[in-house]
Amino acid sequence: MRKKLVAGNWKMNGSLRQNEVLLSDISAAVPGLTCEVAVFPPYPYLAQSQLALAGSGVALGAQSVSEYTQGAFTGEVSASMLAEFGCRYVLLGHSERRGLFGETDAVVAAKFEAAQKAGLIPVLCLGETLAERESGSTMAVVARQLSSVLDRSGVGAMVSAVVAYEPVWAIGTGMTASPAQAQEVHAAIRAQVAVLDAGVAEGLCILYGGSVKPQNAEELFGQADIDGGLIGGAALVADDFLKICLAAS
Ligand code: PEP
């Protein structure tokens, strides 16, 4: 049986002072949970988070990574640097990176490969816009985003990866996908991987993200192919985040 994972994407939020409280509240509660818990603070707070989370069982992740390994790439952060700060995970292809910063499927696939080469576990975000859902192309969009990684890295790479289905229209909007809508896409993602390798598909952790709150988490996480959540806004409030972790436990 797949273990559930709840991952908190802090986006560009926080301060040394605020993080101190949030990290300490989360680490204190995690021993009582059976799901895996991970937090994704902004880059400058990785050192603080690494220290605060040491020995807590809470995993650390980064919100993006460079596709390059080293050199004259001003502003970029390499996967090996993230590994040095204790990161286990890295988010890739978040819709804000795709939509606001022009990350293409090809760039996401290159970053996926760079992350795995440094021993990080990519959390590959996939999802359709509202216009794409309304035009009936959800499955095609998600399949295309996933294919770009499968084509480049092969299905074997999915053994050490996590997928997050995040409908763009549900991110930060309060409009959650219904459990049935989410389950339908999760099942399709697993089926796409299963065509290449049924064993890899069965073991693949697929998170749902998009306005997950304490009130809707349990029903979402109760779906057969939903293995936990990628949480944005609610991950900044310890009480809400921990209630969501409890729902996954
Ligand atoms: C996200 O940004 O990955 C996300 C799911 O945000 P929210 O939970 O706020 O919708």
Side-chain angles (χ1 to χ4, degrees):
M1 197 171 141
R2 297 179 294 272
K3 191 173 178 180
K4 292 250 190 305
L5 166 65
V6 178
N9 173 15
W10 294 6
K11 311 195 187 197
M12 199 172 71
N13 292 297
S15 68
L16 287 171
R17 181 85 174 267
Q18 287 168 0
N19 303 344
E20 214 175 285
V21 180
L22 189 51
L23 290 164
S24 129
D25 287 353
I26 293 170
S27 340
V30 158
L33 301 168
T34 58
C35 66
E36 187 182 354
V37 177
V39 294
F40 293 71
Y43 290 140
Y45 301 131
L46 288 175
Q48 176 197 24
S49 304
Q50 182 185 25
L51 266 177
L53 298 176
S56 70
V58 179
L60 186 60
Q63 296 175 19
S64 187
V65 71
S66 178
E67 67 198 272
Y68 305 109
T69 49
Q70 187 182 351
F73 301 105
T74 302
E76 291 287 275
V77 174
S78 75
S80 63
M81 292 171 187
L82 298 179
E84 275 194 308
F85 283 88
C87 286
R88 173 171 166 79
Y89 295 105
V90 61
L91 295 181
L92 293 180
H94 190 281
S95 66
E96 287 151 17
R97 300 295 321 166
R98 292 180 192 261
L100 301 173
F101 300 100
E103 286 188 11
T104 61
D105 289 340
V107 167
V108 173
K111 289 183 172 204
F112 184 102
E113 190 176 282
Q116 285 198 328
K117 274 194 181 145
L120 301 176
I121 300 177
V123 178
L124 173 65
C125 302
L126 316 170
E128 81 287 3
T129 62
L130 188 58
E132 288 164 340
R133 174 156 284 266
E134 287 176 348
S135 69
S137 46
T138 297
M139 297 303 186
V141 169
V142 170
R144 187 205 71 223
Q145 293 171 339
L146 179 57
S147 288
S148 70
V149 168
L150 291 172
D151 291 349
R152 178 162 179 152
S153 294
V155 69
M158 300 315 284
V159 171
S160 328
V162 170
V163 169
Y165 168 56
E166 297 206 303
V168 181
W169 48 271
I171 296 180
T173 59
M175 273 167 62
T176 320
S178 70
Q181 280 175 320
Q183 166 58 25
E184 186 186 22
V185 181
H186 280 235
I189 291 169
R190 202 177 301 287
Q192 186 178 348
V193 177
V195 168
L196 302 171
D197 190 316
V200 172
E202 188 49 37
L204 180 63
C205 176
I206 309 177
L207 308 180
Y208 169 78
S211 297
V212 177
K213 307 281 176 229
Q215 302 86 302
N216 58 25
E218 197 168 327
E219 205 186 346
L220 284 161
F221 299 164
Q223 304 300 305
D225 289 291
I226 300 186
D227 305 311
L230 178 53
I231 320 300
L236 298 170
V237 180
D239 195 43
D240 286 352
F241 184 63
L242 291 167
K243 280 184 182 144
I244 294 170
C245 294
L246 207 58
S249 295

